[in-house]
Amino acid sequence: MNKFPDFEGLAMFAKVAEERSFLRAAQTLGVSVPTVSRAVSRLEHRLGARLFNRTSRQLALTEFGLRLVDSAARIYAEAEMAEDTAREIATRPKGLIRLAAPMAFGTRWLAPVLPEFFELFPEISIDLHMSDAVVDIVGDGFDAALRIAVLPDSSLVARRLTPVDRFILAAPAFLDRYGVPEHPSELAAHHCLGYSYRARQDVWRLRNSEGKEEVIVPSGSLKATNSQALVPMALRGLGIIELPEFLAHDYLLDGRLKPILPGWTLPTGALYFVTPSARNRPAKVEVLSDFMMARLSNPVWRRRS
């Protein structure tokens, strides 16, 4: 005998007993009368005893049915409660979100907008994991991640929030001392600070308006797993740095770093809100996605005026 309980049979038996009618039970459950009848008959066969005494005008529980009906009704009620609870969790913005984000971006731009999110959704909490290493969203159990990349991971669902340009920068003191490079090939003679967590090899691929590409391998005295850690070296005039615009913004604004090689550009990436799947995504993740779109699709660091 199959040891797995016949939950469907027990539920339909409980509903027939409650309604005192196969027809009314079928209508309440939204199924056909034969479906209910087969389920009850299957349960009777499985248990080896009749549950109802049936006549053309009357339906009554047998003594065996009377002994079983309370347990069956309780199972049915608990199943309904479990479904209602799960449905509320899925459709109501509530619960914990495990979110991954790059370290420098998370500190400078994500953290400042989170208080507003919590004010809007007080029943949501966030476990924020910040690292420049690319996490395995599915394998590490994350609900979502913010990623900055040229292309998103095709195995995941990525919502593009905003473009992210990158700049080659140097401090005025560096340029006064060594001169302003006019061609990417001149960078080989300078200290260029490296970033260890680039998606591919740590190289700078620059392209001009004619489509010519130059590839530079940074060869300075410092390489780091976080771009922000390279900034003090650049500010002291000890090297050339490549920064995404969300980090470069403050230094460009006050003139502490200057863009060089204006005729050459690096590949434009984007900021993405990434989730394992868009299907049956919980309400808590949906509202976070919409909030990120509202707050980060036109960020301060993209406004050129």
Side-chain angles (χ1 to χ4, degrees):
M1 177 185 292
N2 184 355
K3 294 183 179 180
F4 194 78
D6 186 355
F7 291 110
E8 182 187 57
L10 288 166
M12 292 191 177
F13 159 62
K15 186 56 65 175
V16 172
E18 177 186 343
E19 298 289 347
R20 296 184 178 275
S21 166
F22 277 78
L23 174 59
R24 288 194 296 272
Q27 291 171 339
T28 301
L29 294 170
V31 298
S32 67
V33 173
T35 297
V36 176
S37 181
R38 282 195 298 270
V40 172
S41 295
R42 183 180 67 243
L43 183 63
E44 289 177 327
H45 178 75
R46 177 188 179 98
L47 300 177
R50 287 201 327 274
L51 297 168
F52 295 104
N53 288 319
R54 311 169 199 175
T55 67
S56 58
R57 294 185 178 183
Q58 191 175 13
L59 179 71
L61 286 165
T62 63
E63 183 180 352
F64 180 76
L66 283 168
R67 297 174 66 177
L68 180 64
V69 69
D70 287 344
S71 297
R74 186 167 56 252
I75 291 170
Y76 180 76
E78 290 177 353
E80 278 192 317
M81 187 180 302
E83 284 197 354
D84 290 343
T85 300
R87 193 175 296 111
E88 181 182 3
I89 292 172
T91 58
R92 178 182 175 185
K94 180 180 181 180
L96 175 68
I97 299 174
R98 297 196 70 233
L99 176 67
M103 177 66 75
F105 180 84
T107 302
R108 177 64 181 87
W109 297 104
L110 174 60
V113 303
L114 287 180
E116 182 184 359
F117 178 78
F118 291 125
E119 289 174 351
L120 291 171
F121 303 101
E123 293 186 286
I124 293 178
S125 58
I126 292 178
D127 180 2
L128 179 60
H129 174 96
M130 291 197 295
S131 171
D132 285 357
V134 178
V135 299
D136 180 352
I137 295 179
V138 176
D140 294 335
F142 286 97
D143 298 294
L146 288 170
R147 282 191 177 168
I148 298 163
V150 175
L151 290 175
D153 186 339
S154 60
S155 67
L156 302 170
V157 178
R159 184 177 189 181
R160 189 173 186 268
L161 302 180
T162 188
V164 178
D165 291 330
R166 295 155 59 201
F167 300 99
I168 305 295
L169 307 166
F174 181 94
L175 300 176
D176 290 343
R177 183 176 181 181
Y178 297 106
V180 180
E182 296 182 356
H183 189 273
S185 60
E186 298 177 35
L187 296 178
H190 296 289
H191 286 292
C192 295
L193 307 174
Y195 176 56
S196 303
Y197 274 150
R198 200 170 305 286
R200 298 181 177 84
Q201 183 184 2
D202 183 24
V203 298
W204 300 350
R205 298 183 183 276
L206 297 103
R207 189 182 298 270
N208 64 12
S209 58
E210 299 174 353
K212 180 174 176 57
E213 184 177 80
E214 294 282 341
V215 178
I216 307 301
V217 179
S219 58
S221 55
L222 178 64
K223 177 180 285 190
T225 58
N226 182 276
S227 294
Q228 190 69 58
L230 305 173
V231 171
M233 287 280 288
L235 293 177
R236 288 287 292 270
L238 298 176
I240 295 173
I241 192 172
E242 178 263 311
L243 287 179
E245 60 182 318
F246 63 84
L247 284 181
H249 172 267
D250 293 342
Y251 306 109
L252 289 171
L253 199 62
D254 61 20
R256 285 181 290 169
L257 293 176
K258 300 287 186 182
I260 62 176
L261 301 172
W264 296 79
T265 59
L266 292 159
T268 296
L271 173 66
Y272 295 93
F273 185 83
V274 183
T275 56
S277 173
R279 184 178 181 184
N280 296 327
R281 194 157 58 187
K284 61 184 180 181
V285 177
E286 287 289 349
V287 296
L288 180 61
S289 176
D290 291 342
F291 179 84
M292 293 299 171
M293 175 59 76
R295 297 297 175 270
L296 299 176
S297 62
N298 184 29
V300 171
W301 41 269
R302 288 293 300 176
R303 300 169 197 169
R304 303 307 188 197
S305 57

